[in-house]
Structure formats: structure tokens, C-alpha cells
Amino acid sequence: MIAQSNIIKQQRSQRILELFAIARQRYLDAVGNPRCTPSGLKKDDYMTDEEKQEALVLGRQIFPQEYIDNRKSPKIYQITAWVLATARNIKYPPVES
């Protein structure tokens, strides 16, 4: 059951990374400067409304409510690193609760 849960979380994380990669490519096609990043403000994020909504839903499914409520906690950075590493199949130890 836990393995299945991790597989689903990994698939969701991978999809979020795909959405960000699509937006990044749109930015590069439009601006062409790989050293700069978009501001992330509306109309400067290079994601469609549907992609933004999908990323938001996936993020809420991946990250526990504790993460969302306490975004400034140092533990949050460890959780984020673990989720991204899982999506990229990098072996980092899980965060202890």
C-alpha cells in the first residue's frame, strides 16, 4: 500500500515537473534568455490557466497540509527536496516526522 502511494506521488511529482518544463520552454521561445526567469506574475508565467489549475491540484495532493500551513519551516525544504528527488529517481533519505 505504501509502495503504491509512493508511485502515485512520484507520478504526480513528475507531472508537475513536466508542467514547469513546458512553461520554461515557452518562456525560452518567447524571450530566449536562459539566464533570466519570468517574474511569475500573471501573464508572465507562461502557463495556461488549465496548467496552473492542474499544478495547484497536484501540489495539494502531493504536499501534506502541514507543509502548506508551515511553508517557512526548515523541514519544508527537506520535504520539497525529497519530492523532487523522488520525481527524478534520485536517492535521498526520506524526512523523518
Side-chain angles (χ1 to χ4, degrees):
M1 187 63 143
I2 292 176
Q4 181 68 18
S5 175
N6 283 340
I7 289 171
I8 292 170
K9 188 180 280 190
Q10 184 177 7
Q11 290 170 340
R12 290 174 179 163
S13 299
Q14 186 63 39
R15 179 61 183 150
I16 285 179
L17 292 175
E18 289 171 7
L19 291 171
F20 290 149
I22 290 167
R24 177 73 176 158
Q25 188 58 51
R26 282 188 195 129
Y27 170 75
L28 292 174
D29 292 344
V31 178
N33 187 350
R35 292 184 177 209
C36 295
T37 58
S39 68
L41 299 173
K42 190 160 181 74
K43 303 292 183 196
D44 190 34
D45 55 12
Y46 297 91
M47 291 181 92
T48 65
D49 290 338
E50 293 81 17
E51 290 167 342
K52 285 184 230 179
Q53 185 62 32
E54 182 181 356
L56 183 62
V57 168
L58 289 170
R60 287 182 176 155
Q61 292 171 346
I62 294 168
F63 297 105
Q65 189 62 39
E66 174 187 328
Y67 176 90
I68 295 167
D69 292 341
N70 302 307
R71 289 183 296 234
K72 294 181 181 175
S73 167
K75 181 179 176 184
I76 299 311
Y77 299 111
Q78 294 173 347
I79 293 171
T80 304
W82 180 81
V83 169
L84 293 175
T86 301
R88 295 180 180 141
N89 292 322
I90 300 171
K91 304 299 180 201
Y92 284 109
V95 178
E96 296 178 15
S97 298

